[in-house]
Each structure stands twice: as structure tokens, then as C-alpha cells.
């Protein structure tokens, strides 16, 4: 999580001013705030995350203590495929994260019947991944979402317009869930080759092969 600091600073002679920092990692902000607090000259230290939620120093300290036992350093790969013959969609997502000093990989896919296009399947795959993040308890963290759909990524970046109501509805659902969890999304477009894990999961879903697994990984 990235935050900025806002505080009232008071000189030994009583002159006061309000100071605001640039955005920085929560751990760095906590160390700076603790140092300022020890000086005895800072008053009313408040932290603001990227969604303008406020945090006290005690809340940031608690967050940094808990983060090691909760999922963090999260990267999500997603992919969706639509079979025009059967009108079915395969969704796949792979989530890499760290917890308790170890690295893990979660793999999940799903077969759905109610979608109509490949772009909609891509959005649905991302939504599936965000549901899994919710189950994991990921919150108030930056998360990198990686996919091979330029449409989905560029629309979520607000770089491409979205004129289709169906896709716009998916965008609204996704952004609402991210905001609710305090997740700060970073989106990255890659080639299909670099998204092969999620692509394979989506293909397996279309073949009615259900995958749901979590395993420890090394060197990711």
C-alpha cells in the first residue's frame, strides 16, 4: 500500500505549519512518522491512501505487522476464451502471492454459459480473479493484473473508450469490488505466450476440466 503523510509541525518557539509528503510505501511512511513523532514537534499525523481513506499511525503500524501473515506482493494473471460454436466461455486465473515468508500460486478456472463475446469472457475472467482475492483476504494493497486482452486492460486504464453497455457493466462491477477492498490496481498487457498459464486454464475449462489448487512455489 502507498500512502502520503499529512501532519502539523511545531517549532520549539510554537510556530506551526501543515506539511504534506509525496506518496510512498506504507512502511517508509511509518518509519518517517515514527521519527517525527519522537522529535516531539509533530502533531496530528494522518496517512492518506490512494483512495483518500485516512489512517492513524497506530493503524499503519498494525497493518505493517499483520501484512506478513496475510497475502501480499500479489500478481494476478487472467484470461478468458469464448467458443462461438457452443456459446460457452472458459475463464482462468493464476494468483501469485506471499504469506508468512513463503510464496504461493493459486490456480482457478470456471466454465460459464451466459456470456456472448470473447471480450466479455476476458472481463469475467478478471472478475473471477478478484473474487479469489476477496476469498484470500487481500485488501488495501497494490495488485498487478496481467492479461493479453488489450481491450480489457486499456479500457480499465481509461486509455480506450468503452461503448458497449455489457462491458461497461463489467467494468463497474470490477472497479466497485476493487474499491471496496482498497486494492490499488496496476494493469499490464502481455502477449498470449506470456499469459500461457491463465490461457491453459481457460482452455481446460472449455474442455470441462475443473481446476482449483494452491501450491507453494520457489523463486517466483
Amino acid at each position: 500500500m502507498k500512502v502520503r503523510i499529512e501532519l502539523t509541525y511545531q517549532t520549539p518557539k510554537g510556530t506551526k505549519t501543515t506539511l504534506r509528503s509525496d506518496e510512498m510505501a506504507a512502511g517508509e511512511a511509518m518509519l518517517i512518522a515514527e521519527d517525527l513523532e519522537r522529535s516531539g514537534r509533530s502533531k496530528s499525523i494522518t496517512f492518506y491512501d490512494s483512495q483518500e481513506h485516512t489512517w492513524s499511525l497506530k493503524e499503519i503500524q498494525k497493518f505493517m505487522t499483520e501484512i506478513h501473515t496475510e497475502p501480499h506482493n500479489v500478481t494476478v494473471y487472467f484470461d478468458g476464451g469464448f467458443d462461438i460454436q457452443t456459446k460457452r466461455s472458459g475463464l482462468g486465473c493464476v494468483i501469485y502471492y506471499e504469506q508468512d515468508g513463503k510464496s504461493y500460486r493459486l490456480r482457478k478456472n470456471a466454465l460459464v454459459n451466459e456470456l456472448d463475446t470473447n471480450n466479455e469472457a476476458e472481463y469475467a475472467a478478471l472478475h473471477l480473479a478478484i473474487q479469489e482475492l476477496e476469498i484470500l483476504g487481500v485488501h488495501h494493497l497494490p495488485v498487478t493484473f496481467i492479461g493479453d486482452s488489450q481491450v480489457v486492460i486499456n479500457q480499465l486504464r481509461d486509455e480506450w473508450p468503452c461503448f458497449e453497455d455489457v462491458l461497461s457493466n463489467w467494468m463497474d462491477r470490477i472497479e466497485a469490488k476493487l474499491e471496496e477492498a482498497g486494492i490499488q490496481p496496476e494493469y499490464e498487457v502481455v502477449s498470449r505466450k506470456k499469459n500461457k498459464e491463465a490461457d491453459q486454464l481457460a482452455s481446460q475449462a472449455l474442455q470441462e476440466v475443473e481446476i482449483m489448487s494452491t501450491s507453494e512455489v520457489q523463486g517466483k
Side-chain angles (χ1 to χ4, degrees):
M1 179 174 68
K2 291 186 176 182
V3 298
R4 72 177 193 276
I5 306 170
E6 184 171 312
L7 59 90
T8 300
Y9 183 83
Q10 182 174 309
T11 69
K13 293 185 177 181
T15 301
K16 295 181 180 180
T17 188
T18 299
L19 301 177
R20 298 177 179 85
S21 75
D22 293 331
E23 194 174 66
M24 66 185 78
E28 295 175 0
M30 180 188 71
L31 293 175
I32 291 171
E34 288 174 340
D35 186 64
L36 287 167
E37 194 172 63
R38 284 193 293 269
S39 74
R41 297 178 186 174
S42 62
K43 311 293 181 182
S44 306
I45 298 177
T46 305
F47 301 83
Y48 292 83
D49 62 26
S50 61
Q51 296 177 319
E52 294 300 311
H53 297 146
T54 60
W55 299 66
S56 68
L57 178 55
K58 287 185 178 180
E59 288 171 333
I60 289 290
Q61 290 168 332
K62 181 180 179 182
F63 174 81
M64 294 307 299
T65 300
E66 292 177 345
I67 193 172
H68 295 288
T69 60
E70 296 181 352
H72 57 282
N73 290 343
V74 183
T75 301
V76 175
Y77 292 81
F78 69 94
D79 193 43
F82 177 70
D83 187 332
I84 195 169
Q85 301 298 326
T86 63
K87 303 296 183 182
R88 299 194 300 179
S89 300
L91 318 179
C93 67
V94 184
I95 302 173
Y96 287 94
Y97 63 96
E98 296 177 17
Q99 187 172 14
D100 293 322
K102 297 180 180 180
S103 298
Y104 295 93
R105 179 184 67 174
L106 182 154
R107 300 166 68 233
K108 170 74 174 179
N109 69 359
L111 178 66
V112 295
N113 298 307
E114 63 270 19
L115 309 180
D116 297 315
T117 66
N118 192 74
N119 286 336
E120 193 177 0
E122 293 278 8
Y123 269 108
L126 176 55
H127 189 266
L128 174 70
I130 293 170
Q131 288 179 310
E132 292 302 314
L133 293 180
E134 186 177 18
I135 293 170
L136 280 173
V138 175
H139 64 94
H140 295 96
L141 291 173
V143 174
T144 301
F145 295 95
I146 300 174
D148 55 48
S149 170
Q150 291 194 37
V151 170
V152 171
I153 298 297
N154 287 323
Q155 286 182 344
L156 287 168
R157 285 174 174 169
D158 289 328
E159 294 178 0
W160 288 9
C162 181
F163 299 113
E164 299 176 55
D165 289 342
V166 171
L167 300 188
S168 182
N169 289 337
W170 278 108
M171 288 178 65
D172 291 343
R173 292 168 65 186
I174 286 167
E175 290 173 347
K177 274 194 166 295
L178 293 176
E179 183 176 359
E180 181 181 358
I183 291 174
Q184 303 129 46
E186 299 176 5
Y187 299 107
E188 181 180 343
V189 180
V190 296
S191 65
R192 189 172 181 180
K193 183 178 180 180
K194 292 184 178 180
N195 198 33
K196 60 183 179 181
E197 284 189 292
D199 176 70
Q200 182 180 15
L201 286 167
S203 297
Q204 288 174 310
L206 286 170
Q207 297 163 8
E208 300 186 9
V209 177
E210 184 178 357
I211 306 291
M212 177 59 198
S213 68
T214 301
S215 58
E216 186 177 349
V217 295
Q218 301 295 329
K220 180 65 181 179

